[in-house]
Amino acid sequence: GVVIATSQIKHVLGVKPPRRSRWWENVWELAMHFQDTHAPTVTIGITILSLLMMLKYWKSAGPAEKREAHWLWRWFPKKSTSIAFMAMKLSSDLAPLMAVTLGGLWAWAYRAS
């Protein structure tokens, strides 16, 4: 996990440090290039990552009673037969595809501006 995270975080930060063979060297390079981070890329990266994590945890929140007791999930649809719940479930199932699509649209819009 650490190797994958250190090799991918540069995309979230919008920096292009040189690739090293060891993960701790990659972390060092990221730290040295941190001042080069691209704010719009960080914003969209953190937003999409947060959305993915939220949908993942919503999907595994359990039955309606457990969702009702949760401080955040009680505000989301709980009845599994409702249209809103089914739409949210479909959204959580398609979240990775939506994340790639949103990221691609962001890149296209940013390059076009």
Side-chain angles (χ1 to χ4, degrees):
V2 174
V3 174
I4 294 170
T6 57
S7 67
Q8 296 301 308
I9 195 72
K10 64 184 176 188
H11 300 295
V12 174
L13 296 175
V15 296
K16 295 180 181 176
R19 177 91 169 113
R20 303 292 181 194
S21 59
R22 295 180 179 89
W23 69 268
W24 59 85
E25 292 171 342
N26 287 328
V27 170
W28 179 256
E29 288 294 337
L30 284 169
M32 293 295 100
H33 288 87
F34 191 76
Q35 72 275 7
D36 301 332
T37 56
H38 188 245
T41 303
V42 172
T43 302
I44 194 72
I46 290 174
T47 302
I48 289 175
L49 187 59
S50 299
L51 180 64
L52 284 170
M53 296 302 290
M54 185 205 66
L55 288 170
K56 175 186 174 189
Y57 288 116
W58 175 83
K59 188 176 175 181
S60 63
E65 300 81 32
K66 192 173 176 185
R67 290 173 191 270
E68 184 63 43
H70 193 274
W71 68 272
L72 178 62
W73 304 140
R74 68 175 167 207
W75 303 106
F76 287 79
K78 290 170 279 308
K79 189 176 177 185
S80 62
T81 56
S82 72
I83 302 250
F85 185 93
M86 288 188 263
M88 187 92 171
K89 172 100 171 51
L90 181 63
S91 297
S92 68
D93 289 340
L94 296 175
L97 178 62
M98 290 188 305
V100 170
T101 304
L102 283 173
L105 288 172
W106 171 260
W108 174 78
Y110 185 77
R111 288 183 188 139
S113 66

